Amino acid sequence: MEFICSNPDAEYRVDRSWKGRVTDLKRSDAMVEADVSGKGSHMHIIVGKYAYGNFVCIPEWGVGSPLASLDDQFWNRERLTRYIGKADAITLSEALKLIRTAGTV
Protein backbone atom coordinates (compact mmCIF):
# COMPACT_ATOMS: atom_id res chain seq x y z
CA MET A 1 0.00 0.00 0.00
CA GLU A 2 1.34 3.41 -0.91
CA PHE A 3 0.81 6.64 0.99
CA ILE A 4 2.01 10.25 0.89
CA CYS A 5 4.18 11.72 3.63
CA SER A 6 4.58 15.43 4.24
CA ASN A 7 6.83 17.67 6.26
CA PRO A 8 5.63 21.25 5.68
CA ASP A 9 8.42 22.58 7.92
CA ALA A 10 11.19 21.23 5.67
CA GLU A 11 13.62 23.84 4.40
CA TYR A 12 13.80 22.48 0.86
CA ARG A 13 10.78 21.86 -1.37
CA VAL A 14 12.00 18.34 -2.31
CA ASP A 15 11.91 17.38 1.40
CA ARG A 16 8.30 18.50 1.94
CA SER A 17 6.53 15.53 0.34
CA TRP A 18 7.44 11.94 -0.59
CA LYS A 19 5.85 8.55 -1.21
CA GLY A 20 5.94 5.81 1.36
CA ARG A 21 5.03 2.15 1.07
CA VAL A 22 3.96 -0.47 3.59
CA THR A 23 3.75 -4.18 2.88
CA ASP A 24 2.24 -6.54 5.48
CA LEU A 25 4.23 -9.69 5.96
CA LYS A 26 2.35 -11.24 8.84
CA ARG A 27 -0.80 -10.18 10.68
CA SER A 28 -2.62 -11.52 13.74
CA ASP A 29 -5.04 -10.09 16.31
CA ALA A 30 -2.23 -8.66 18.44
CA MET A 31 0.65 -8.10 16.03
CA VAL A 32 1.61 -6.91 12.56
CA GLU A 33 4.98 -7.49 10.94
CA ALA A 34 5.58 -5.29 7.92
CA ASP A 35 8.12 -3.60 5.68
CA VAL A 36 7.96 0.20 5.51
CA SER A 37 9.94 2.31 3.07
CA GLY A 38 10.12 5.94 2.09
CA LYS A 39 12.61 8.67 1.25
CA GLY A 40 15.43 6.15 0.75
CA SER A 41 14.94 4.28 4.04
CA HIS A 42 13.67 0.76 4.63
CA MET A 43 12.36 -0.51 7.99
CA HIS A 44 11.21 -3.97 8.95
CA ILE A 45 8.77 -3.29 11.80
CA ILE A 46 6.82 -5.24 14.38
CA VAL A 47 3.76 -3.47 15.78
CA GLY A 48 1.70 -4.89 18.58
CA LYS A 49 -0.05 -4.53 21.90
CA TYR A 50 1.30 -5.05 25.38
CA ALA A 51 -0.09 -4.45 28.89
CA TYR A 52 0.31 -0.64 28.68
CA GLY A 53 -0.77 -0.02 25.09
CA ASN A 54 0.83 -0.27 21.65
CA PHE A 55 4.48 -0.62 20.65
CA VAL A 56 6.69 -0.65 17.59
CA CYS A 57 10.06 -2.35 17.18
CA ILE A 58 12.56 -1.93 14.36
CA PRO A 59 14.90 -4.83 15.19
CA GLU A 60 17.56 -4.12 12.57
CA TRP A 61 17.88 -0.53 13.83
CA GLY A 62 17.88 -1.49 17.52
CA VAL A 63 14.78 0.65 18.13
CA GLY A 64 11.68 -0.02 20.18
CA SER A 65 9.10 2.45 21.45
CA PRO A 66 5.68 2.64 23.01
CA LEU A 67 3.00 4.23 20.83
CA ALA A 68 -0.25 6.06 21.34
CA SER A 69 -3.18 4.95 19.22
CA LEU A 70 -1.82 3.91 15.83
CA ASP A 71 -3.66 6.78 14.16
CA ASP A 72 -2.28 9.44 16.57
CA GLN A 73 0.33 10.68 14.12
CA PHE A 74 1.43 13.72 16.14
CA TRP A 75 2.23 11.81 19.34
CA ASN A 76 3.81 8.86 17.54
CA ARG A 77 5.93 11.10 15.30
CA GLU A 78 7.18 13.12 18.27
CA ARG A 79 8.01 9.97 20.23
CA LEU A 80 9.74 8.23 17.30
CA THR A 81 11.84 11.31 16.51
CA ARG A 82 13.71 10.60 19.77
CA TYR A 83 15.12 7.43 18.19
CA ILE A 84 15.09 7.90 14.40
CA GLY A 85 15.35 10.81 11.98
CA LYS A 86 12.38 13.11 11.37
CA ALA A 87 11.68 11.89 7.81
CA ASP A 88 11.72 8.26 9.00
CA ALA A 89 9.46 9.12 11.96
CA ILE A 90 6.99 10.83 9.61
CA THR A 91 7.07 7.86 7.22
CA LEU A 92 6.57 5.38 10.05
CA SER A 93 3.73 7.35 11.68
CA GLU A 94 1.91 7.49 8.31
CA ALA A 95 2.44 3.74 7.86
CA LEU A 96 1.10 3.04 11.37
CA LYS A 97 -2.08 4.94 10.53
CA LEU A 98 -2.49 2.86 7.38
CA ILE A 99 -1.82 -0.38 9.30
CA ARG A 100 -4.53 0.60 11.81
CA THR A 101 -7.00 1.44 9.06
CA ALA A 102 -6.35 -1.89 7.34
CA GLY A 103 -7.39 -3.98 10.32
CA THR A 104 -6.18 -5.53 13.56
CA VAL A 105 -3.83 -4.03 16.16
Side-chain angles (χ1 to χ4, degrees):
M1 297 177 278
E2 287 192 353
F3 53 91
I4 300 296
C5 300
S6 64
N7 180 8
D9 300 328
E11 184 175 345
Y12 299 106
R13 184 180 199 113
V14 70
D15 293 331
R16 292 185 189 148
S17 181
W18 62 93
K19 284 185 183 179
R21 182 171 189 77
V22 62
T23 306
D24 282 9
L25 301 176
K26 191 178 204 181
R27 188 178 279 266
S28 70
D29 289 340
M31 184 199 77
V32 173
E33 194 169 339
D35 285 329
V36 176
S37 59
K39 200 153 178 65
S41 291
H42 177 83
M43 299 170 254
H44 183 88
I45 66 167
I46 301 167
V47 181
K49 293 183 182 213
Y50 72 119
Y52 300 110
N54 298 304
F55 70 90
V56 64
C57 290
I58 312 169
E60 288 82 8
W61 292 15
V63 172
S65 178
L67 299 169
S69 170
L70 297 185
D71 56 2
D72 188 341
Q73 293 175 282
F74 177 78
W75 195 94
N76 291 335
R77 181 176 42 231
E78 292 297 311
R79 181 68 182 212
L80 292 167
T81 302
R82 295 178 183 181
Y83 309 108
I84 60 179
K86 188 170 185 174
D88 292 329
I90 290 169
T91 301
L92 185 50
S93 68
E94 289 286 345
L96 291 169
K97 181 180 173 186
L98 193 58
I99 287 169
R100 172 69 174 106
T101 302
T104 60
V105 178

